[in-house]
Amino acid sequence: MTLDAHLRATRGAFDLDLALTVEPGEVVALLGPNGAGKTTALRALAGLLPLTGGHLRLGDRAWDEPPGAFVPPEQRPIGVVFQDYLLFGHLSALDNVAFGPRARGARKADARATARAWLDRVGLAEHAGSRPRALSGGQAQRVALARALATEPALLLLDEPLAALDAATRLLTRAELGDHLDRFTGSAVLVTHDPVDAMVLADRLVILEHGRVVQQGPPVDVARHPRTPYVADLVGLNLYRGTADGAGVDLVDGGRFTLARPAHGHVLVTFAPTAVSLHTTRPAHDAVNTWEVTVTGVEQHAHTSRARLAGAPPTLADLTAATVAELRLRPGDRLWAAVETAETRAYPA
Ligand SMILES: Nc1ncnc2c1ncn2[C@@H]1O[C@H](COP(=O)(O)OP(=O)(O)OP(=O)(O)O)[C@@H](O)[C@H]1O
């Protein structure tokens, strides 16, 4: 059954206006900066926040359609995995998972049999009797997932499901969650701040800013063609707006780039921070864009240093430790930035 929603809701001065369709078997990730409205959208889907307008339907059943239909949360076939799992501390893993089917009217023995099967599917059969505090973070996450799936929900809501895990556990748990989502035949909505979770787990990304969709599409498309500074930052690219006149583009932020392929009109231009090289004198090559920059900051990342550079345009450059040492990079240094034209990509704005 398809989830078909136009979520209009308000919380104080905030106003959400989100059109969202999720096909059966599809996983949609909702991404956005703090305060963009992701939690508000999840609450509206779950029925914890009634809509002020629009509609929310699953198949031909209206869940929320003001001023008419409203199906209360407990009557919606929904499974939820919260960031902190919200397992019942006084119940065993088995009874935590059995809780869902029980709450939906299953007989105790049947609910426990279902729960046992789900614990088995998430690889926790031998922990059925454990209380949540005896479980690791990754195990607790799997119990929470089993609990959400045990009711065979039509809609699965995942709210930052991996955020509480350390990096190593997160990698493994993400892969397992991906397998379960692949097999899940309902609609799934995942809220996350983590671009990797979204790219790996979702079929489609929906990016919210200020309660509105600013971009959506398959992860690969979004990663290649970001449309806002937030999305560019999320996928790790430099992004500029400008006006192209065939061979080149005049940038809104100042400066002009030569393009590898001709473009016309309002365009967005991207390149990766790794494509930027820094030089003490102006490099004199064809097919290279060069401009003067001032170093405003240098941050150490795992294997690279990221330099923030003011200029026309401002840019981010990822540099090796050798380059940073060679240039003795310090805030205030004036240098030349260079990017091969073949590394820049222009697409309609
Ligand atoms: N109970 C409330 N009363 C008034 N305003 C609220 C309430 N809860 C949230 N808001 C406002 O609604 C907006 C959206 O919040 P929401 O929690 O949906 O964003 P989010 O995208 O989930 O953010 P985060 O990534 O920080 O969790 C914010 O501007 C917030 O200040």
Side-chain angles (χ1 to χ4, degrees):
M1 279 181 293
T2 302
L3 178 87
D4 167 26
H6 180 182
L7 305 176
R8 302 212 57 182
T10 51
R11 278 178 113 188
F14 178 79
D15 160 47
L16 176 76
D17 187 340
L18 164 64
L20 183 70
T21 306
V22 190
E23 301 295 338
E26 192 183 24
V27 180
V28 169
L30 276 184
L31 285 146
N34 290 332
K38 306 178 295 293
T39 307
T40 305
L42 273 195
R43 291 177 64 84
L45 290 169
L48 299 169
L49 182 70
L51 298 183
T52 51
H55 65 264
L56 168 55
R57 297 184 205 114
L58 191 85
D60 54 12
R61 175 122 203 250
W63 284 3
D64 196 348
E65 206 154 332
F70 183 80
V71 176
E74 65 279 7
Q75 287 175 25
R76 299 186 187 190
I78 290 179
V80 186
V81 179
F82 298 97
Q83 175 172 348
D84 37 15
Y85 316 136
L86 300 182
L87 297 176
F88 302 112
H90 62 291
L91 296 182
S92 66
L94 184 77
D95 286 333
N96 264 281
V97 180
F99 181 83
R102 275 293 272 167
R104 279 174 166 68
R107 286 174 42 232
K108 192 167 185 183
D110 294 340
R112 292 191 123 210
T114 304
R116 210 171 282 286
W118 273 103
L119 283 179
D120 198 26
R121 280 172 76 165
V122 299
L124 284 180
E126 71 276 27
H127 293 281
S130 304
R131 296 276 170 93
R133 67 171 173 278
L135 299 171
S136 70
Q139 289 167 341
Q141 203 280 345
R142 282 142 71 192
V143 173
L145 181 66
R147 184 176 64 178
L149 291 173
T151 57
E152 296 183 12
L155 175 63
L156 179 65
L157 302 176
L158 303 144
D159 187 5
E160 300 277 3
L162 303 172
L165 304 176
D166 61 64
T169 312
R170 189 176 182 129
L171 197 66
L172 190 69
T173 312
R174 183 191 291 132
E176 288 169 359
L177 176 59
D179 290 342
H180 290 291
L181 289 176
D182 284 347
R183 284 197 288 271
F184 180 60
T185 54
S187 305
V189 177
L190 162 74
V191 161
T192 178
H193 278 94
D194 185 321
V196 181
D197 289 350
M199 298 285 165
V200 171
L201 297 172
D203 301 304
R204 187 154 51 90
L205 310 184
V206 172
I207 293 141
L208 273 181
E209 291 182 40
H210 307 296
R212 303 286 184 280
V213 176
V214 292
Q215 183 166 3
Q216 61 177 310
V220 184
D221 291 355
V222 174
R224 285 180 67 85
H225 300 124
R227 304 198 69 82
T228 74
Y230 167 77
V231 184
D233 185 50
L234 193 75
V235 301
L237 291 175
N238 285 300
L239 175 73
Y240 307 96
R241 282 185 183 277
T243 308
D245 54 17
V249 53
D250 291 312
L251 305 174
V252 170
D253 293 338
R256 179 180 169 84
F257 286 153
T258 304
L259 294 171
R261 276 194 251 139
H264 295 273
H266 294 296
V267 291
L268 295 165
V269 179
T270 60
F271 52 81
T274 48
V276 182
S277 58
L278 289 180
H279 310 266
T280 50
T281 55
R282 181 171 206 159
H285 296 299
D286 287 347
V288 171
N289 288 303
T290 56
W291 71 104
E292 224 174 346
V293 291
T294 304
V295 178
T296 57
V298 183
E299 297 154 19
Q300 191 57 44
H301 287 212
H303 301 293
T304 55
S305 296
R306 171 160 290 191
R308 293 188 174 274
L309 305 163
T315 200
L316 298 173
D318 282 350
L319 308 164
T320 61
T323 308
V324 173
E326 201 178 304
L327 294 171
R328 295 176 161 274
L329 219 56
R330 294 207 193 97
D333 288 355
R334 288 186 66 74
L335 294 158
W336 288 91
V339 176
E340 288 186 30
T341 53
E343 298 280 352
T344 62
R345 201 162 41 229
Y347 45 96

